[in-house]
Amino acid sequence: MSQPKISIRGVTKTFSVRDANLGRPSQFTAVSDIDIDVRAGEFLTLVGPSGCGKSTLLDLIAGLTKPASGTILLDGEPITGPGLDRGIVFQQYALFPWRTARGNIEFGLEAKGVGRKERRARAAEFLDLVGLSGFADRYPHELSGGMRQRVAIARSLAFDPEVLLMDEPFAALDAQTRESLQEELLSIWQRTGKTVVFITHGIDEAVYLGQRVAIMTSRPGRIKEIVDIDFETREGDLRADAKFGEFRHHIWTALRDEVAAAQAHEREAVGSVG
Amino acid sequence: MADVSLDRRPAGAAAPAPAPADDPAPVAEAVVTAKARPALNPARVLRGLGSGVNRIAAIVLFLIAWEVLPRLELVDAVFLPPFSEVVVAWQELAVSGVLWNHTQASLIRSLAGFAIAIAVTIPLGLILGWYKPVADFLDPLLELFRNTAALALLPVFVLILGIGETSKISIVVYACAWPILLNTIAGVKGVDPLLIKSARSLGLPPYRLFQKVILPAAVPTVFTGIRLAGAYSILVLVAAEMVGAKAGLGFLINDAQFNFRIPDMYSGIITISVIGLVFNALLLRLERRFSTWRTTQ
């Protein structure tokens, strides 16, 4: 088997937090002993109860934070920091409000040192890819939530990263916009062949998008199970497929205990504060 | 966008529609008819004119009172001459060139102090905002200085720098520095952490992050400080010019009062007001131009 695109081995991440009761710093384990490989060109979705450290794991892959222990390899090389070989799409879009849609898409290209002319051409190309050709000169506040997220996706694709890291990118959108963006994302993924790591708390979304779904446990987050989503065909209404329901139910069952555990955690935390 | 319908509502409501507050239907109807008939321009123009008149109505009333009260001898015309007499005095001062000399002296001091304050405090504020420990360390001191009225320090400035131009410009610099400095610090500190994270994820080195994210994000807040400083630059200067100056509008006002040229005194005051208004309007325009993107935040 060829080398995995991303290889995560025994990764643990702890934070120092101020304990409200003790009034002194204590250690908080966000993710613990994570082992997972992501294949080149794969679409991997990651589900887990809230607060299980999904976003922490994404930050680690992005190189925004460093693990307390364990290694993360990208193409066999340890990740030393953020870089243009990985692009992130955030739930809250994170568009620069003083830049137009085009300006936002050009941002990553500027960071890469691409010349002005080519930047403009690339921005136009990627605006077109996400269906926003006519909106190049609009500012983020002049765009709807769905359009903003399209711009954010275009921005992350434009500088041509090999890996796309997506942190619940569609969670803030209405159901209809979400579905159409899911479809678009799949078609973009198929056309560009990027490796995608997609975080969600929606089981349907995870099954619909992912080739594999990694289920995380409640805090501290570990990988509980990895489910292969092997539809015979992806044609037609996937959500109506009998197998879709089976996958859905399987993941739901696996998550149910974790969600219960997470809620118990939360109650405990609230109880100790109050 | 929402005020499109609001704009047109009075026109629609002109058709007799006594809408009770608890019945939304007539209002909705009015909006629909207004949308169906976009040719309501005359009404809108009238309304536009109306709001323009409204905006200066209070000033006009005030000036009428100023004219009428002394003439009816309800106030002493010696201390408050009718507005028309002040206008005549103002014209004489303007024609003789005296007014311009004083105005020029004041403007040069104001603008010099204002410019120096901008040049010094914006870079300083950027640095302080960026290095959080330094800002946290200095914060109590900055608060202390900010809350010390600039004019309370005027004797100190005069004591150290004399009564010449240096002390006058210095007091303007001092007064302008605080709003700009504190707003710049706040602007840098207040940048959305997600934007910083997003830029950092692209591997931007710190100085580029500063140039491409922190700086543009802070611009609107900095401009608010600049606009405040603009107002202070005139307020403080006039007071400074009342102490040991030989020219300037503050001097003119004070001197006219000493020599009982009361209409001249009011001429100076009116000139100051107009300069303040114009300066503020200019800075407001500049501020809007630089912060169009902030409309929804």
Side-chain angles (χ1 to χ4, degrees), chain B:
Chain B
M1 263 176 256
D3 45 43
V4 169
S5 56
L6 283 178
D7 260 348
R8 289 167 181 176
R9 241 185 69 184
D22 55 346
D23 184 4
V27 176
E29 243 168 59
V31 170
V32 169
T33 47
K35 269 187 180 167
R37 266 188 301 133
L40 294 165
N41 281 342
R44 290 189 69 181
V45 167
L46 264 182
R47 254 172 57 77
L49 270 178
S51 81
V53 169
N54 270 343
R55 275 183 61 79
I56 57 164
I59 293 177
V60 170
L61 281 177
F62 169 72
L63 293 180
I64 289 172
W66 186 350
E67 182 66 33
V68 170
L69 292 180
R71 291 206 185 277
L72 295 178
E73 288 176 14
L74 288 169
V75 295
D76 193 336
V78 174
F79 298 135
L80 184 67
F83 180 62
S84 55
E85 281 178 30
V86 174
V87 171
V88 172
W90 188 89
Q91 267 175 334
E92 277 166 16
L93 281 176
V95 170
S96 68
V98 173
L99 187 66
W100 173 242
N101 285 342
H102 290 301
T103 307
Q104 199 183 20
S106 288
L107 280 181
I108 288 174
R109 289 172 188 144
S110 265
L111 293 178
F114 183 56
I116 293 172
I118 290 177
V120 172
T121 47
I122 290 182
L124 191 65
L126 292 175
I127 294 167
L128 288 180
W130 188 234
Y131 295 103
K132 261 187 185 134
V134 186
D136 290 342
F137 173 73
L138 287 177
D139 188 58
L141 188 65
L142 297 183
E143 276 300 310
L144 177 71
F145 274 110
R146 187 178 69 112
N147 286 299
T148 306
L151 288 176
L153 289 173
L154 184 56
V156 180
F157 278 77
V158 171
L159 195 66
I160 297 173
L161 301 169
I163 54 169
E165 294 300 299
T166 321
S167 69
K168 290 185 180 54
I169 294 177
S170 299
I171 196 91
V172 173
V173 172
Y174 181 87
C176 291
W178 300 107
I180 304 177
L181 184 67
L182 293 166
N183 270 283
T184 307
I185 294 175
V188 173
K189 276 181 159 177
V191 180
D192 183 353
L194 184 62
L195 294 183
I196 297 178
K197 186 177 175 182
S198 166
R200 229 160 56 76
S201 77
L202 299 172
L204 245 61
Y207 74 95
R208 296 267 285 173
L209 180 74
F210 195 84
Q211 173 208 354
K212 297 251 175 205
V213 181
I214 311 284
L215 222 47
V219 161
T221 319
V222 174
F223 253 95
T224 306
I226 290 180
R227 188 163 51 79
L228 285 172
Y232 290 176
S233 75
I234 291 168
L235 291 178
V236 174
L237 176 72
V238 171
E241 282 176 345
M242 291 181 173
V243 182
K246 287 185 224 63
L249 290 167
F251 165 77
L252 172 69
I253 294 167
N254 226 23
D255 187 56
Q257 193 240 1
F258 281 152
N259 294 299
F260 226 71
R261 289 182 280 119
I262 302 302
D264 285 3
M265 179 186 84
Y266 284 108
S267 301
I269 294 173
I270 289 173
T271 310
I272 292 281
S273 308
V274 172
I275 290 175
L277 271 177
V278 169
F279 201 29
N280 192 55
L282 283 177
L283 289 172
L284 202 63
R285 274 204 143 174
L286 213 57
E287 184 184 2
R288 288 219 185 104
R289 169 164 298 183
F290 279 101
S291 8
T292 40
W293 54 266
R294 210 166 59 159
T295 40
T296 49
Q297 255 89 12

Side-chain angles (χ1 to χ4, degrees), chain A:
Chain A
M1 200 188 138
S2 62
Q3 187 185 44
K5 190 76 193 168
I6 304 167
S7 177
I8 302 173
R9 287 279 166 274
V11 163
T12 298
K13 175 71 187 173
T14 54
F15 291 104
S16 290
V17 288
R18 261 245 310 280
D19 193 300
N21 291 330
L22 302 170
R24 60 182 165 78
S26 66
Q27 290 292 307
F28 165 89
T29 307
V31 295
S32 167
D33 207 18
I34 301 270
D35 273 312
I36 191 167
D37 282 347
V38 186
R39 297 187 288 262
E42 179 182 18
F43 200 126
L44 177 84
T45 52
L46 208 62
V47 288
S50 71
C52 76
K54 301 181 292 255
S55 297
T56 305
L57 187 57
L58 209 71
D59 283 355
L60 287 164
I61 303 174
L64 290 167
T65 51
K66 292 203 175 355
S69 61
T71 54
I72 306 176
L73 305 179
L74 182 74
D75 290 323
E77 298 287 324
I79 287 173
T80 54
L84 289 160
D85 45 6
R86 287 146 289 156
I88 311 185
V89 178
F90 299 94
Q91 182 187 334
Q92 295 304 333
Y93 325 126
L95 295 177
F96 301 108
W98 57 88
R99 284 175 169 244
T100 58
R102 177 194 289 124
N104 266 286
I105 296 174
E106 286 186 1
F107 191 89
L109 299 169
E110 285 168 29
K112 207 177 180 177
V114 176
R116 180 188 293 265
K117 255 194 172 161
E118 203 193 328
R119 280 208 304 263
R120 210 164 165 101
R122 288 276 279 282
E125 178 191 338
F126 282 90
L127 274 167
D128 192 43
L129 182 77
V130 296
L132 288 178
S133 291
F135 297 87
D137 295 317
R138 296 283 186 95
Y139 285 92
H141 75 262
E142 299 170 316
L143 299 171
S144 70
M147 288 165 136
R148 286 182 211 182
Q149 197 54 287
R150 281 166 211 251
V151 174
I153 292 171
R155 177 175 67 179
S156 293
L157 287 169
F159 56 84
D160 200 25
E162 291 153 42
V163 178
L164 202 56
L165 304 168
M166 308 185 84
D167 191 356
E168 305 199 18
F170 306 147
L173 304 174
D174 63 87
Q176 247 173 341
T177 311
R178 187 183 310 137
E179 272 192 26
S180 69
L181 273 176
Q182 285 168 351
E183 241 169 81
E184 265 180 63
L185 178 63
L186 277 182
S187 104
I188 288 170
W189 167 66
Q190 277 156 0
R191 273 180 282 164
T192 57
K194 305 280 179 210
T195 307
V196 182
V197 179
F198 186 107
I199 287 179
T200 176
H201 58 246
I203 300 174
D204 283 41
E205 187 169 65
V207 174
Y208 182 73
L209 291 173
Q211 292 177 303
R212 288 193 300 160
V213 177
I215 305 167
M216 284 181 77
T217 66
S218 71
R219 210 179 77 207
R222 299 164 203 274
I223 300 291
K224 177 172 183 156
E225 189 185 343
I226 298 174
V227 184
D228 279 303
I229 308 294
D230 45 357
F231 289 111
E232 270 119 51
T233 168
R234 283 192 150 266
E235 301 290 304
D237 185 359
L238 207 61
R239 292 182 181 86
D241 197 306
K243 266 192 130 176
F244 191 95
E246 280 170 36
F247 289 132
R248 203 191 167 285
H249 181 71
H250 180 94
I251 295 167
W252 181 83
T253 314
L255 269 176
R256 188 178 48 185
D257 306 338
E258 299 307 328
V259 170
Q263 280 168 351
H265 257 303
E266 258 167 45
R267 267 198 297 277
E268 214 172 89
V270 170
S272 68
V273 169

